[in-house]
Amino acid sequence: MGVQDLAIYLQSSPLLDYESEAIVALVAQRGWAHISSITDRIEAIYTMVRDEIPYGYTAHFKIPGSEVLTLGMGNCLTKTTLLMTLLRAAGVPCRMEAATVGRILHRGLLKGVAIKLSPRSLFHSWVSVYYRDRWVELGGHIVDRPYLLKLQARYPDYMGSFYGYGIATLNFRNPPIKWEGEETSIQDKAIRGELGSFPGPDSFFAAHPEAERRTWTLGYKLVLRPTLNKSIRRVREG
């Protein structure tokens, strides 16, 4: 893929707002743009988004990267926006991948009336980076390691696959969440249907406005979001 072909995957946008004050300041503070190794640059940004932005649910999903950073929490849609914003700020071409996942992802976090209010099919997203002449998918940034460690401590006897509490993986004890030049994932085994690749979240939300509209419902505002975040907090606090 030529330089001109990659240009679209380096552009800023209303949601990938890497020219905003907060993003510019963070990138300068961390010195990411000056890391000569593309492998190390991706690792530094990816690890920061994974572990310093805790897994959680914001009031809206269609928000710019700078707002995700300010809120300091996110799910697949919002943390993907932030990761893409920071990667592009540091000159790493990236795009958005999207799919639908089953609500089995929320098993354990939602129960009773709350799980019935949750849509059977949820919108899901992750990132692809253009790395060494190929696209590599990154989905392991969604759930932070501190939360994962607490969840593993809660279920010490689970050695294989695990579905629930925001996780869907075949290897609960050692899911592929570390960037080592290959794909990472933590929720991929809940995928039910592919929605394709998008240049960024702006085009994704334009094609699938329902992903944001679901946050407008009273069910999400009054039941789903507070219950999800309360359950996640309970796991995190052990």
Side-chain angles (χ1 to χ4, degrees), residues 92-120:
V92 179
C94 57
R95 68 187 185 193
M96 182 177 182
E97 309 292 343
T100 57
V101 292
R103 65 183 179 188
I104 192 173
L105 206 62
H106 288 158
R107 186 172 66 180
L109 297 177
L110 298 177
K111 300 175 182 178
V113 174
I115 195 68
K116 292 180 180 178
L117 284 174
S118 179
R120 290 184 178 275

Side-chain angles (χ1 to χ4, degrees), residues 100-179:
T100 57
V101 292
R103 65 183 179 188
I104 192 173
L105 206 62
H106 288 158
R107 186 172 66 180
L109 297 177
L110 298 177
K111 300 175 182 178
V113 174
I115 195 68
K116 292 180 180 178
L117 284 174
S118 179
R120 290 184 178 275
S121 183
L122 308 169
F123 287 97
H124 179 58
S125 70
W126 62 102
V127 180
S128 279
V129 291
Y130 195 70
Y131 174 75
R132 294 183 176 174
D133 300 322
R134 63 191 178 105
W135 290 104
V136 180
E137 298 184 2
L138 305 182
H141 64 291
I142 300 162
V143 174
D144 57 288
R145 189 182 288 276
Y147 172 83
L148 175 62
L149 291 174
K150 290 287 188 177
L151 191 62
Q152 290 171 332
R154 175 182 279 208
Y155 296 100
D157 298 329
Y158 277 79
M159 303 302 293
S161 61
F162 189 93
Y163 295 84
Y165 291 92
I167 290 170
T169 181
L170 296 181
N171 189 345
F172 180 52
R173 303 247 63 94
N174 189 28
I177 61 171
K178 184 179 180 181
W179 163 252

Side-chain angles (χ1 to χ4, degrees), residues 172-187:
F172 180 52
R173 303 247 63 94
N174 189 28
I177 61 171
K178 184 179 180 181
W179 163 252
E180 294 178 312
E182 301 295 335
E183 294 184 2
T184 70
S185 63
I186 193 70
Q187 299 180 332

Side-chain angles (χ1 to χ4, degrees), residues 33-142:
H34 303 295
I35 299 176
S36 58
S37 165
I38 187 69
T39 306
D40 293 345
R41 198 184 317 166
I42 293 172
E43 180 184 23
I45 296 169
Y46 168 85
T47 304
M48 178 270 166
V49 174
R50 185 191 67 201
D51 294 341
E52 295 183 41
I53 306 297
Y55 174 51
Y57 287 78
T58 51
H60 295 282
F61 298 153
K62 187 182 177 182
I63 56 177
S66 61
E67 187 172 343
V68 182
L69 181 64
T70 299
L71 292 171
M73 66 184 299
N75 71 337
C76 62
L77 292 169
T78 46
K79 289 187 73 170
T80 287
T81 296
L82 176 58
L83 179 56
M84 290 186 66
T85 302
L86 296 175
L87 286 168
R88 290 194 184 185
V92 179
C94 57
R95 68 187 185 193
M96 182 177 182
E97 309 292 343
T100 57
V101 292
R103 65 183 179 188
I104 192 173
L105 206 62
H106 288 158
R107 186 172 66 180
L109 297 177
L110 298 177
K111 300 175 182 178
V113 174
I115 195 68
K116 292 180 180 178
L117 284 174
S118 179
R120 290 184 178 275
S121 183
L122 308 169
F123 287 97
H124 179 58
S125 70
W126 62 102
V127 180
S128 279
V129 291
Y130 195 70
Y131 174 75
R132 294 183 176 174
D133 300 322
R134 63 191 178 105
W135 290 104
V136 180
E137 298 184 2
L138 305 182
H141 64 291
I142 300 162

